[in-house]
């Protein structure tokens, strides 16, 4: 069974990555930045799935920082 907080965190991470990707493409045309963001999100998901939670959180923090910078 899924843990509610884990499920919510995964949705949040996925939505955050999608928003950053879409925002950067629409506002700045940063195709490479959007691809890098997508790859970082994938890496965080992989780390999370194999139990490397601190590494996944580190990557998520990078994504959050990037999202803040793009605001």
């Amino acid at each position: 069974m899924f843990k509610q907080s884990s499920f919510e965190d995964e949705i949040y991470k996925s939505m955050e990555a999608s928003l950053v990707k879409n925002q950067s493409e629409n506002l700045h045309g940063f195709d490479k930045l959007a691809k890098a963001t997508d790859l970082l999100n994938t890496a965080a998901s992989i780390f999370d799935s194999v139990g490397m939670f601190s590494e996944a959180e580190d990557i998520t923090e990078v994504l959050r920082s990037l999202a803040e910078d793009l605001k």
Side-chain angles (χ1 to χ4, degrees):
M1 211 61 183
F2 291 106
K3 292 181 181 178
Q4 186 67 23
S5 63
S6 175
F7 182 68
E8 290 171 353
D9 289 342
E10 189 63 31
I11 290 174
Y12 175 80
K13 289 175 189 177
S14 177
M15 290 176 68
E16 181 178 34
S18 293
L19 288 171
V20 169
K21 180 180 174 184
N22 289 337
Q23 183 183 26
S24 65
E25 286 178 351
N26 292 338
L27 295 179
H28 305 289
F30 291 158
D31 188 43
K32 290 181 182 179
L33 180 60
K35 287 179 184 177
T37 302
D38 194 35
L39 291 173
L40 283 170
N41 183 57
T42 301
S45 296
I46 292 168
F47 283 142
D48 197 48
S49 70
V50 296
M52 298 175 71
F53 303 114
S54 65
E55 289 82 356
E57 185 57 37
D58 290 343
I59 292 175
T60 302
E61 189 58 38
V62 169
L63 290 171
R64 284 187 188 124
S65 176
L66 180 60
E68 285 295 318
D69 289 346
L70 290 175
K71 281 186 179 177

